Amino acid sequence: MPSQQYRIHAAAVLAGLACRSATPPGNSPAAVPYSAETVPGISVTVRVERTEYRPGDTVRFVVTAFNVSTRRVQIGQSCGPSFDVEVTMPSGARRSVLSDLVGPDEAYTCQRLPEHFVEPGGTQRAELRWQVPAARGRYSASAGLRRGDGLSNLSSPIEFSAP
């Protein structure tokens, strides 16, 4: 299946077809809640191009979902991208890459797209870009599937630094 690159723009939001990404009460919009739901048969991986970045550099996360089952699986919701990446900052704070791209008053268009599904034995891939903030130190990142209550099917974490 072809790779899908997600570029999130406020201009892409269509009036009447948009839905807000929910932030559970008490959570910062940038916090990443975890889902109680998992998607059976799906494993998620994340990779980056290098292990060192300077503050202000853009990290390109490549997220892949592998369907090890024998059935077609819906991995994404009808609203927005199927994936998000959680970045753990040097301070220990967690950030959502999508929350950093899309403000709290912006929304995704709501329609099921081919990238919301993975065929048996197939993969679905997305690219998310994130700008490294001024904080220097070690970062880690895990990717997961976006569910109604948070991320599921988390990948193994990867590490990178901003020396």
Side-chain angles (χ1 to χ4, degrees):
M1 192 160 269
S3 294
Q4 176 66 38
Q5 292 187 352
Y6 292 107
R7 292 192 170 89
I8 310 298
H9 308 251
V13 178
L14 301 174
L17 293 176
C19 66
R20 302 222 180 273
S21 61
T23 301
N27 282 343
S28 152
V32 183
Y34 298 118
S35 177
E37 173 188 5
T38 60
V39 180
I42 300 294
S43 67
V44 177
T45 63
V46 63
R47 65 181 172 82
V48 293
E49 297 169 311
R50 56 188 202 261
T51 58
E52 285 191 9
Y53 295 86
R54 291 186 175 127
D57 283 353
T58 298
V59 178
R60 183 174 69 103
F61 295 104
V62 178
V63 182
T64 306
F66 299 92
N67 182 354
V68 297
S69 77
T70 58
R71 61 184 180 80
R72 184 177 195 232
V73 177
Q74 182 175 343
I75 59 168
Q77 301 175 331
S78 297
C79 298
S82 298
F83 305 104
D84 195 0
V85 174
E86 170 192 71
V87 176
T88 302
M89 311 289 282
S91 67
R94 297 181 304 127
R95 309 246 349 139
S96 157
V97 168
L98 290 179
S99 289
D100 283 350
L101 294 173
V102 178
D105 295 328
E106 295 174 18
Y108 300 113
T109 57
C110 292
Q111 56 187 338
R112 283 199 184 121
L113 300 171
E115 54 267 16
H116 291 128
F117 297 89
V118 183
E119 298 300 325
T123 62
Q124 191 59 258
R125 191 168 286 121
E127 178 182 301
L128 288 95
R129 294 175 185 260
W130 182 74
Q131 188 173 11
V132 178
R136 295 182 182 273
R138 297 207 58 76
Y139 291 79
S140 68
S142 293
L145 303 177
R146 290 180 62 242
R147 312 310 298 156
D149 59 345
L151 286 182
S152 73
N153 299 62
L154 286 177
S155 70
S156 295
I158 58 168
E159 292 191 356
F160 58 96
S161 64

